[in-house]
Structure formats: structure tokens, C-alpha cells
């Protein structure tokens, strides 16, 4: 049921109905009513191809209704009832309200009915069946207007309907169905032309089934996308047989040209070009090599033709001749025709190159867009990591100090009110600093241009290390600071990284090391900045990263950004030494 539902939802059923309608008309062509052979060619083409419009009756019912009406009237002019066109017209009128406005539906129904009435009135003397056809069309149109729901899905202009039809035809999900429809439509045209040529050509010398087999061979075009070599070979043989029997069958040659074009478009050049070249060379070569022994196998009636003496020839050669055979065998496949078909192959090659270049350009554009999106995503992740490190370094440092001071609260209360008040003051100072740093970072994130405003986000540097050491000393961890060299000329990014390294190291000392003192050494050299932080705490094993030490990871990431190195030296019971080297780049050294 799912496959059946998808079949009807994708409207492929209409395409199949159109193919069935074309097949029914082809049966009538094969029957070859005498009136058809003497009718005008354009009228036959209209009648034969009208059922193909059933395929678009739900996409563009206006065009389908008008076209099928013309097909039905054409059948009346040929003296027959156009049942296929009438059924397709009824389906199209039933689809009108679901696609067009009420006014458009009424107008189309009125026009179609008027055309059918006019045709019935014109040919009333020849048949009494035309009037009920017009009445049936009117009844179906009125029933659709009364019982079908009106949904305006498009404005209904000619260009918009054309776009809808183009999108419907080019839908990859129903491509196979339209290839089949195209093949049956081409077969109808070839059958019409061959039926006409049977009267004036030499088809009497061929088996009676041969012209029909050649006409229906065009249906092989349905394989043009999947097995393009098969249509090329089959249609080349059919064209050669038809060329021997009559004048040029243009519709059959057009089908062969289309098959060659499809071969060049849908297959690689190293495959399609040799096949096309071989076929176009083989056609005139075979026509030149075939003689009487092979010709009578193809056209058996040649054996029974009377021979004429050579005396009637000028000059006389006194030999006997089969004039019918000589008339057929002398119709050589012209080399110029192969050259024209070669131009079609060349056009297919150009189209294939164009499609391949367009596909490559689209793929390249998609890759570039994906690269841009990945770069943007990576930039977001990078910024997030920066923000995460800054939040950890600033907020976690201050909060750790607050926690430490809060834990020492009971001892401060024992020392007296002044010590307790001083402790609470230090907790408040640490909280206010954390809030200030957090506010500055949030202000930077809210910057309209995405560039942090230096006025809103003052970043600490080497000059602020003294305040950091003093703050830690006030919290109960004596810190000795030594700075060698001038900080002038050191880029702000290097200074910020050095500050954050020291800040994170002191936070770890206060939180985890249980140390009684710490020392900081910062040395400015000509090629970079060296930082050492040492404590006399309990230490740890650097090979086993302690749980929850996200600060160490942040320190390593900050150093890696500046192509520096970070070394952690520690052992249980021996304290910890963190040393970092932040090199200055060539441009930074020059400055």
C-alpha cells in the first residue's frame, strides 16, 4: 500500500495513463483507416500526441483541457470518436477546481464545451454522436465545479503554469515515467510517417511486420539514460532499413539523433565517442557492402521480381537486371548524414562538459560554504574556550579565596571581633573583584562589533602581579614576588597569559597544596618571558592528574596559544614548581 500511495502522490499514475492513451492511438495508427492516410499531417500529429497531455492534467489542467479538446475534435474530423482524448478531457476538467480559481474553472469549462458544440454542429451531417460528447463534457465540468473543493495554489498565469510543468517534468522521482512517455510519443510520430510512406515507398518488398517493428522500435528510447548504447544500435539498424525502402524518415532520424545525444551526455567520453563513431561509420559501410544475397534475406519479395534485359538500358549491356533490387541497393547511406549526426554527438559532448563543470562548481561552492561554516563554528568554540578559561581564572580564583576565608571564620571569631570583621571584609573584597571581572567580560560579549572595548575590559598584566601577591598574603598565604627586567615592550597578550598562569597557580596552591608559603619569579628576557611559581605544599604526582584540576588544562592551553612550554615539577611531600616559557614572535621582538 505504501508503494501504491507514493505512486499516486507523485502523480506518476497520470504519466502511465498518458502512455496507455498513446498506445491505444498507436493501435489505431497500425489499423490505418483509409481516411487517415489521406488526411493532413498536422491533424494526424495532433490526434496522435494529444493523450500525452494527460500526464500534466493535475499540474496544469487548463493546458491539458484545451489540448485534449483539440485532440478530440481532431478525431471527429478524421471520422472517429476520440475516446482517449475524451477520457483525458474528463479527468482534466475534474482537476480544474483543485488547481484554479472558480472563475478560471468556469471559463475553461465554457470554452471546452463551446468548442465541442461547434465541432458537433459543423459535422452534424456526418455523425449523430457528436452532440452527446459535448453534453457529457458539460456535465463533467459542472459536476467538478459543484462537488470539487476549490484551492488556489497558484496565480494561474501562463509563466507560472509553465514553471509548474517544468518542475513536474524534471522531478527525478518520475524521470523514468517521462522517459517512457517521450519514447511512446516518438513512436507515434514514426508510425504516422511510416504509414504514409507505405503508400509511396517500397515497403511491399519487405515483410508486412517490418514497418511496424521499426515504428515501435523507437520505444527503446526509454532506456536512453540507463543503457544508451542499446537505443543507438537499435535505431541505427531501423534507420538503415527505412532508408532502403523509402525517402528519409525524418522522425526516425530525429529519434536516432536524440539517442546519440543521450549517449554523449550520459556516458563518459572515452566510452561514448568510440561507440558513436563506430555506429556512424558502420551505417554507410554496411549500406555499401550489402548486395543481392544479403538483400533478399532482408526483403524476401525481391526474389520474385521479373528480370529485365539490358537492351532497355542506355548504353545496352545485354544483361538481365532486377530493377527493384537495384533501386533499393543503390540507396546508399550518405556520408553527409553521418556527419550531421556527428554534430549531434558533439553537441551532447558539449552539454556533458557544461553539466560536469556546473556540478563541479556547485560542489566547490558547497565545500567553500561548509568550510566557512566550519571556520565560524571553530571560532565560536575557540571563543568559548577563551571565555571558559577567563571565567575559571577570574571567578574561581576569587571564589576559592572567599571559601578559604569562610573556612577560617571560626578561628577569626576566637581571635576577636576585629579579626572577624577583617576576614569578612576580605571576603567582600574578593567577591566584588570577581563581580567586577565578570561584568567586564559580559560587557565585552555584548560589544556590537564583536571587538572587546579596552575601556570596558581592562586586562591585567605583569604590573598587577604585585597586587595579586599582596591579596594572597592577606588571605593567609605568604607570597614572595620577584620581577626581573622591564615589562615594557612585552605584548599585552603575553602579559595577560603570564598573569593568568600565576593567578591559577596561586589558586591551586591555596586550594589544594596546604602550603605555608609560595614564591613567584617573572623574568623578562630578550626572546620571551619566563614564569616560575613554587610552593612548599604537599605536592602530587604529575603523571596522575588530580580530579577537578581544570585549571592545569587551561594553563596548558594558554601557553600553547603562544607556542610556549609549560613544565610541572612535583612529587608527594616535596611541593610543586610550575615553570612556563612564553616566547616573543619575530614581529613582537622587533617592536
Amino acid at each position: 500500500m505504501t508503494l501504491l500511495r507514493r505512486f499516486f502522490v507523485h502523480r506518476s499514475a497520470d504519466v502511465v495513463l498518458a502512455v496507455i492513451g498513446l498506445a491505444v492511438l498507436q493501435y489505431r495508427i497500425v489499423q490505418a483507416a483509409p481516411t487517415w492516410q489521406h488526411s493532413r499531417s498536422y491533424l494526424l500529429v495532433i490526434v496522435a500526441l494529444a493523450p500525452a497531455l494527460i500526464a500534466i492534467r493535475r499540474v496544469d489542467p487548463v493546458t491539458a483541457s484545451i489540448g485534449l479538446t483539440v485532440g478530440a475534435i481532431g478525431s471527429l474530423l478524421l471520422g472517429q470518436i476520440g475516446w482517449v482524448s475524451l477520457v483525458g478531457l474528463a479527468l482534466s476538467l475534474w482537476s480544474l477546481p483543485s488547481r484554479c480559481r472558480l472563475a478560471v474553472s468556469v471559463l475553461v469549462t465554457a470554452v471546452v464545451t463551446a468548442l465541442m458544440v461547434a465541432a458537433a454542429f459543423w459535422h452534424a451531417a456526418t455523425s449523430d454522436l457528436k452532440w452527446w460528447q459535448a453534453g457529457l463534457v458539460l456535465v463533467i465540468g459542472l459536476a467538478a465545479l459543484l462537488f470539487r473543493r476549490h484551492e488556489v495554489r497558484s496565480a494561474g498565469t501562463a509563466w507560472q503554469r509553465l514553471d509548474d510543468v517544468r518542475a513536474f517534468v524534471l522531478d527525478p522521482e518520475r524521470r523514468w515515467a517521462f522517459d517512457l512517455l517521450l519514447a511512446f510519443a516518438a513512436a507515434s510520430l514514426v508510425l504516422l510517417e511510416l504509414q504514409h510512406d507505405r503508400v509511396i515507398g517500397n515497403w511491399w518488398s519487405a515483410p508486412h511486420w517490418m514497418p511496424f517493428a521499426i515504428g515501435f522500435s523507437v520505444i527503446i528510447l526509454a532506456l536512453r539514460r540507463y543503457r544508451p548504447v542499446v537505443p543507438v544500435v537499435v535505431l541505427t539498424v531501423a534507420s538503415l532499413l527505412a532508408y532502403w525502402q523509402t525517402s528519409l524518415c525524418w522522425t526516425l532520424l530525429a529519434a536516432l539523433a536524440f539517442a546519440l545525444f543521450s549517449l554523449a551526455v550520459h556516458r563518459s567520453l572515452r566510452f561514448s565517442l568510440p561507440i558513436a563513431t563506430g555506429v556512424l561509420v558502420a551505417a554507410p559501410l554496411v549500406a555499401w557492402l550489402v548486395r543481392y544475397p544479403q538483400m533478399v534475406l532482408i526483403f524476401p519479395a525481391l526474389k520474385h521480381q521479373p528480370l529485365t534485359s539490358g537492351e532497355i538500358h542506355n548504353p545496352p549491356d545485354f544483361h538481365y537486371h532486377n530493377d527493384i533490387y537495384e533501386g533499393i541497393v543503390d540507396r546508399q547511406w550518405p556520408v553527409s548524414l553521418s556527419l550531421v549526426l556527428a554534430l549531434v554527438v558533439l553537441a551532447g559532448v558539449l552539454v556533458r562538459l557544461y553539466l560536469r563543470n556546473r556540478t563541479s562548481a556547485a560542489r566547490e561552492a558547497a565545500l567553500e560554504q561548509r568550510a566557512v561554516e566550519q571556520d565560524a563554528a571553530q571560532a565560536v568554540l575557540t571563543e568559548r574556550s577563551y571565555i571558559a578559561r577567563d571565567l575559571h581564572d577570574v571567578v574561581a580564583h576569587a571564589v576559592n579565596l572567599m571559601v578559604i576565608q569562610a573556612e577560617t571564620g571560626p578561628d577569626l571569631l576566637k581571635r576577636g571581633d576585629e579579626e572577624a570583621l577583617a576576614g569578612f571584609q576580605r571576603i567582600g573584597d574578593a567577591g566584588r573583584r570577581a563581580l567586577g571581572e565578570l561584568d567586564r567580560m559580559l560587557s565585552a560579549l555584548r560589544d556590537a562589533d564583536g571587538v572587546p572595548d579596552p575601556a570596558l575590559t581592562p586586562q591585567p598584566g605583569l604590573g598587577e602581579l604585585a597586587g595579586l601577591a599582596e591579596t594572597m598574603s592577606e588571605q593567609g598565604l605568604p607570597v614572595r614576588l620577584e620581577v626581573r627586567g622591564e615589562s615594557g615592550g612585552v605584548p599585552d597578550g603575553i602579559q595577560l597569559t603570564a598573569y593568568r598562569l600565576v593567578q591559577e597557580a596561586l589558586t591551586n596552591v591555596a586550594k589544594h597544596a596546604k602550603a605555608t608559603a609560595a614564591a613567584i619569579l617573572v623574568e623578562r628576557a630578550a626572546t620571551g618571558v619566563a614564569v616560575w611559581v613554587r610552593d612548599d605544599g604537599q605536592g602530587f604526582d604529575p603523571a596522575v592528574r588530580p580530579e577537578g584540576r581544570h585549571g592545569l588544562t587551561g594553563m596548558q592551553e594558554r601557553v600553547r596559544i603562544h607556542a610556549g612550554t609549560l613544565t610541572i615539577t612535583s612529587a608527594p611531600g616535596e611541593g610543586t614548581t610550575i615553570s612556563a616559557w612564553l616566547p616573543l614572535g619575530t614581529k613582537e621582538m622587533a617592536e
Side-chain angles (χ1 to χ4, degrees):
M1 292 297 294
T2 302
L3 293 177
L4 185 61
R5 188 181 300 110
R6 290 185 60 189
F7 179 75
F8 283 98
V9 167
H10 292 151
R11 301 171 182 171
S12 298
D14 291 336
V15 182
V16 174
L17 289 177
V19 171
I20 295 174
L22 290 172
V24 172
L25 263 297
Q26 288 170 4
Y27 174 77
R28 289 193 173 183
I29 294 172
V30 171
Q31 295 301 315
T35 55
W36 283 40
Q37 293 185 358
H38 302 286
S39 301
R40 296 187 179 274
S41 299
Y42 69 87
L43 184 60
L44 295 175
V45 170
I46 291 175
V47 173
L49 296 184
L53 294 174
I54 300 176
I56 62 170
R57 57 107 181 175
R58 277 188 281 192
V59 180
D60 187 5
V62 176
T63 302
S65 299
I66 301 298
L68 289 166
T69 301
V70 174
I73 294 174
S75 296
L76 293 178
L77 296 178
L78 293 175
Q80 298 181 355
I81 300 177
W83 291 107
V84 175
S85 296
L86 285 175
V87 172
L89 176 59
L91 293 174
S92 300
L93 290 177
W94 189 254
S95 301
L96 267 175
S98 63
R99 187 65 177 169
C100 303
R101 296 187 179 94
L102 178 61
V104 176
S105 301
V106 172
L107 178 61
V108 172
T109 303
V111 170
V112 168
T113 304
L115 290 175
M116 294 296 295
V117 170
F121 179 78
W122 189 7
H123 286 268
T126 60
S127 177
D128 296 331
L129 299 178
K130 283 82 173 181
W131 296 104
W132 72 262
Q133 295 181 39
L136 179 62
V137 168
L138 179 60
V139 170
I140 294 175
L142 292 177
L145 293 174
L146 292 175
F147 299 107
R148 293 281 287 172
R149 184 176 60 181
H150 291 264
E151 298 179 3
V152 181
R153 301 181 184 176
S154 65
T157 64
W159 290 111
Q160 288 172 330
R161 292 201 305 269
L162 181 61
D163 290 339
D164 292 341
V165 172
R166 184 186 300 112
F168 176 64
V169 171
L170 297 180
D171 188 349
E173 292 189 2
R174 61 177 65 89
R175 183 177 296 169
W176 63 271
F178 277 102
D179 285 342
L180 186 62
L181 179 64
L182 176 65
F184 269 83
S188 297
L189 296 178
V190 174
L191 284 172
L192 282 175
E193 187 171 3
L194 290 180
Q195 284 293 78
H196 179 267
D197 290 341
R198 287 180 66 188
V199 179
I200 60 176
N202 296 319
W203 287 106
W204 56 267
S205 63
H208 70 280
W209 52 264
M210 182 175 289
F212 307 117
I214 292 176
F216 285 112
S217 67
V218 182
I219 298 177
I220 201 69
L221 278 176
L223 300 177
R224 66 183 186 88
R225 298 180 190 271
Y226 315 103
R227 296 291 187 271
V229 176
V230 177
V232 167
V233 174
V234 171
L235 293 178
T236 300
V237 174
S239 299
L240 185 59
L241 293 175
Y243 192 81
W244 273 324
Q245 286 296 315
T246 183
S247 59
L248 287 176
C249 185
W250 294 105
T251 53
L252 186 58
L253 290 176
L256 174 59
F258 190 56
L260 289 169
F261 179 83
S262 300
L263 174 64
V265 171
H266 298 294
R267 287 296 181 267
S268 62
L269 300 183
R270 60 182 179 181
F271 177 80
S272 60
L273 288 181
I275 295 296
T277 302
V279 167
L280 296 180
V281 171
L285 184 61
V286 169
W288 179 69
L289 292 176
V290 168
R291 286 298 179 264
Y292 186 82
Q294 298 83 27
M295 192 66 71
V296 295
L297 295 177
I298 303 173
F299 307 116
L302 294 177
K303 293 182 179 180
H304 309 292
Q305 295 305 307
L307 301 179
T308 58
S309 63
E311 296 179 356
I312 64 175
H313 291 76
N314 187 20
D317 54 9
F318 303 104
H319 288 85
Y320 289 98
H321 298 272
N322 187 331
D323 292 332
I324 302 299
Y325 157 72
E326 292 178 355
I328 294 177
V329 79
D330 287 343
R331 292 187 56 81
Q332 303 294 333
W333 181 279
V335 176
S336 58
L337 181 57
S338 293
L339 294 178
V340 172
L341 294 175
L343 294 179
V344 176
V345 177
L346 179 60
V349 170
L350 295 178
V351 170
R352 175 179 177 81
L353 294 176
Y354 167 74
L355 294 177
R356 186 172 63 181
N357 292 337
R358 188 178 66 175
T359 303
S360 300
R363 186 183 299 111
E364 183 178 354
L367 291 176
E368 291 179 356
Q369 180 65 24
R370 187 180 304 173
V372 171
E373 294 174 355
Q374 290 178 349
D375 291 342
Q378 185 61 39
V380 171
L381 293 177
T382 302
E383 291 300 325
R384 286 179 178 177
S385 65
Y386 291 163
I387 295 170
R389 285 196 299 267
D390 287 341
L391 287 174
H392 178 272
D393 293 344
V394 174
V395 179
H397 173 74
V399 172
N400 282 331
L401 295 181
M402 295 166 64
V403 171
I404 293 173
Q405 290 297 322
E407 290 176 347
T408 59
D411 295 334
L412 296 178
L413 290 175
K414 294 178 181 180
R415 298 178 186 178
D417 293 340
E418 294 183 358
E419 291 291 335
L421 291 174
F424 284 118
Q425 182 65 35
R426 288 191 291 271
I427 292 175
D429 292 341
R432 282 188 291 274
R433 284 195 299 273
L435 289 175
E437 291 287 345
L438 184 61
D439 182 66
R440 283 192 289 272
M441 281 189 291
L442 293 178
S443 298
L445 291 176
R446 289 191 295 266
D447 185 72
D449 298 328
V451 179
D453 188 350
L456 296 174
T457 58
Q459 299 293 341
L462 298 179
E464 283 71 31
L465 288 176
L468 179 62
E470 182 180 356
T471 301
M472 295 298 296
S473 298
E474 293 176 355
Q475 306 298 331
L477 177 65
V479 177
R480 180 172 58 85
L481 171 65
E482 181 180 359
V483 179
R484 301 175 184 174
E486 299 293 334
S487 61
V490 178
D492 293 340
I494 298 294
Q495 293 195 44
L496 174 62
T497 299
Y499 180 88
R500 296 303 189 199
L501 290 175
V502 174
Q503 184 183 47
E504 178 60 31
L506 293 179
T507 299
N508 289 338
V509 171
K511 186 176 180 180
H512 304 289
K514 298 181 181 181
T516 59
I520 305 171
L521 173 60
V522 179
E523 184 175 1
R524 164 73 162 89
T527 57
V529 176
V531 179
W532 290 272
V533 179
R534 178 174 177 77
D535 66 81
D536 59 356
Q538 62 183 356
F540 66 95
D541 185 1
V544 180
R545 181 62 56 88
E547 295 183 1
R549 296 291 182 90
H550 301 294
L552 296 178
T553 303
M555 294 166 66
Q556 291 174 338
E557 291 179 358
R558 287 185 180 277
V559 172
R560 188 184 303 115
I561 290 176
H562 297 283
T565 58
L566 179 70
T567 304
I568 301 175
T569 304
S570 182
E574 297 183 4
T576 302
T577 299
I578 296 178
S579 59
W581 170 251
L582 303 174
L584 301 179
T586 305
K587 179 179 179 181
E588 296 164 340
M589 294 174 62
E591 294 176 350

